[in-house]
Amino acid sequence: MSENNLNVISTKEGVVITNPNHFLAFSDFEVSDGIDIIENINILSNASLNEDIDFENIAESSEKFNESNNVEGSYIGQNFKSTEFLRNSYENLELFTFLSSDVSVDDFTDELKVANTSIGFENAQIDIGHVIFINKVLSPKLLLKTYKTVLKIKSEFFESLNLPIHIKNILNNNDFLCIASNVAESTFEEENIIDESVDIVNAQYDDNEIDFKDFKIAIEDAVIISCEDALEKLKLSFGILDYLVSEGILIGDLVEAGMELCVGVEVTDELKEKLEKQILESLTDINVITLLMAAIRSEDDLSNNKIREIDVSDDPAYLYTDEVLGLAISNQIAGTKATFNFKRYDEAKPGIIYGLGPMLDDIFAGLIAGCMSKIFEK
């Protein structure tokens, strides 16, 4: 690999990636024409923009930022919530992965964690943006093809994670992508730089020297690794409580549902606390978690008609796998006795259980039945 001429300046106000020999770049930046020949790629923090974030403000701030850092030349610009980034180098690739998150993973109990945000999930954002430099001279056509490849693999990667829906809804709504390569020496004559007279049609490119199949695999692998590194850097991981939240199920709702079928005992705050403690304890059991997630994932596939042979729109009576899972959960928590209690909760569907889907109503009936049996056993 030939040495690249990249230089990176990073401050709280922004990041500029410079190439004195120019980039040929294709991007979705806010200050860009789509495809550009430029010397600087600017990522500005929202905090550095004192007015409404628009084209003129970003352009003006980019010019001020470059001037204050003694950076000259043409640029494209993008605003982003954070200027934190990871940098990874491969054979002919240089990846800059910018990351921003309003979500943290906090302790819920000593053994359980939950994703949380101080600004509410309706306002929160998790964004992972990329600037990818390819140390080759690529044609605009191959640049665009690479851009599409990155968009596709990034989308497929995050889709494969099956994230909780409230996390998926706030993920990469404000991300960005720039694919940049070297500029052919024949693209412009030195004396024409001033009047921006360029010729990218007749320039000499490295396209014919590139095996796109191998090149595509390298790009995809690099992007996947960068996304994994970003999630690790942001310390974002998701567990059973996050998937309950994604279904609109709170621990308090499960407690209230459990109390509805109490017979022969007074419903007290102490009893509610016991049930809540038992539910949380049961949610640390690897077998309970596995059964719950099996049902949650199945519910998603079935309710979205992802399995051609199955239609659950009217909760068919011949579908009894949901009851099998519910029984298994109740039995795992409190043994055979709980399986009899399961029948009561499954038929009555108290509280929040009534509004759940055909798989979820039974598994949470099983969870509550098992936990109720357990607290009266103690």
Side-chain angles (χ1 to χ4, degrees):
M1 178 185 75
S2 61
E3 289 294 324
N4 66 56
N5 294 299
L6 299 191
N7 183 38
V8 180
I9 297 172
S10 177
T11 72
K12 292 181 180 179
E13 288 71 37
V15 176
V16 58
I17 306 168
T18 71
N19 183 355
N21 292 333
H22 294 75
F23 297 105
L24 178 64
F26 187 90
S27 75
D28 56 14
F29 279 18
E30 289 154 309
V31 179
S32 169
D33 295 322
I35 191 160
D36 302 271
I37 294 178
I38 38 87
E39 293 171 76
N40 306 301
I41 299 171
N42 285 17
I43 312 296
L44 300 180
S45 72
N46 287 1
S48 69
L49 305 176
N50 299 320
E51 305 169 14
D52 293 334
I53 300 174
D54 56 22
F55 175 91
E56 291 184 1
N57 189 14
I58 297 169
E60 182 181 349
S61 296
S62 288
E63 291 170 6
K64 289 181 179 178
F65 178 76
N66 287 353
E67 183 179 350
S68 65
N69 289 282
N70 298 315
V71 175
E72 298 180 349
S74 53
Y75 64 89
I76 55 176
Q78 173 72 27
N79 80 286
F80 199 55
K81 202 164 189 176
S82 167
T83 56
E84 182 179 9
F85 68 93
L86 304 173
R87 182 176 182 177
N88 294 310
S89 299
Y90 302 93
E91 186 177 355
N92 285 309
L93 299 175
E94 193 99 19
L95 272 76
F96 298 85
T97 307
F98 290 81
L99 41 146
S100 171
S101 175
D102 297 316
V103 176
S104 61
V105 177
D106 301 331
D107 290 336
F108 193 80
T109 67
D110 290 341
E111 298 181 81
L112 288 170
K113 296 179 181 292
V114 68
N116 203 0
T117 175
S118 61
I119 60 175
F121 280 102
E122 68 277 6
N123 299 314
Q125 299 174 6
I126 302 173
D127 292 300
I128 298 172
H130 284 95
V131 174
I132 301 177
F133 172 67
I134 302 156
N135 195 18
K136 292 282 188 180
V137 179
L138 303 189
S139 69
K141 181 179 179 180
L142 188 52
L143 211 62
L144 177 57
K145 193 173 181 180
T146 304
Y147 180 91
K148 291 179 178 178
T149 296
V150 173
L151 284 183
K152 185 172 184 291
I153 193 61
K154 184 177 176 182
S155 174
E156 289 175 351
F157 168 77
F158 284 109
E159 187 63 30
S160 73
L161 298 180
N162 289 305
L163 297 171
I165 189 64
H166 63 297
I167 300 299
K168 190 182 297 185
N169 287 342
I170 64 172
L171 178 66
N172 286 333
N173 293 322
N174 296 287
D175 62 343
F176 58 83
L177 175 59
C178 172
I179 307 294
S181 71
N182 293 319
V183 175
E185 292 181 6
S186 58
T187 299
F188 48 75
E189 298 298 334
E190 197 68 32
E191 61 270 16
N192 290 330
I193 293 178
I194 296 176
D195 63 13
E196 298 181 352
S197 175
V198 299
D199 181 6
I200 62 174
V201 176
N202 299 310
Q204 298 299 309
Y205 298 110
D206 294 336
D207 294 22
N208 293 333
E209 301 173 12
I210 296 173
D211 182 331
F212 188 74
K213 183 179 179 180
D214 292 341
F215 177 69
K216 180 173 180 285
I217 292 172
I219 286 278
E220 290 176 340
D221 288 347
V223 171
I224 289 172
I225 291 171
S226 74
C227 291
E228 291 173 340
D229 289 347
L231 291 176
E232 183 177 349
K233 179 69 174 179
L234 292 171
K235 297 181 179 179
L236 288 179
S237 60
F238 304 100
I240 189 61
L241 289 183
D242 300 306
Y243 286 96
L244 264 61
V245 170
S246 74
E247 299 296 334
I249 299 169
L250 303 179
I251 300 300
D253 296 330
L254 296 176
V255 171
E256 291 302 320
M259 293 296 106
E260 284 195 26
L261 298 190
C262 275
V263 177
V265 295
E266 181 183 358
V267 175
T268 63
D269 289 341
E270 182 182 1
L271 185 61
K272 289 182 179 181
E273 288 175 8
K274 285 183 178 180
L275 178 56
E276 179 177 340
K277 183 179 179 180
Q278 181 57 53
I279 290 172
L280 293 171
E281 181 181 329
S282 297
L283 291 177
T284 65
D285 184 326
I286 187 173
N287 294 291
V288 172
I289 294 172
T290 301
L291 290 164
L292 287 171
M293 288 307 302
I296 290 171
R297 293 285 167 78
S298 296
E299 177 89 22
D300 179 63
D301 285 346
L302 300 183
S303 62
N304 288 295
N305 300 313
K306 294 180 180 179
I307 312 299
R308 182 177 54 250
E309 293 82 4
I310 303 177
D311 178 9
V312 296
S313 57
D314 57 352
D315 195 1
Y318 52 81
L319 177 68
Y320 55 81
T321 310
D322 49 349
E323 295 183 6
V324 172
L325 291 174
L327 281 166
I329 289 175
S330 62
N331 184 64
Q332 174 65 23
I333 296 171
T336 304
K337 180 176 64 175
T339 63
F340 292 97
N341 207 18
F342 166 72
K343 182 175 175 61
R344 295 175 60 237
Y345 280 92
D346 183 38
E347 290 179 350
K349 301 191 188 311
I352 193 173
I353 297 177
Y354 181 81
L356 299 178
M359 297 292 292
L360 299 188
D361 58 0
D362 284 356
I363 63 163
F364 283 103
L367 176 69
I368 295 173
C371 290
M372 288 295 292
S373 299
K374 192 73 173 179
I375 64 173
F376 285 110
E377 176 185 289
K378 296 178 178 179

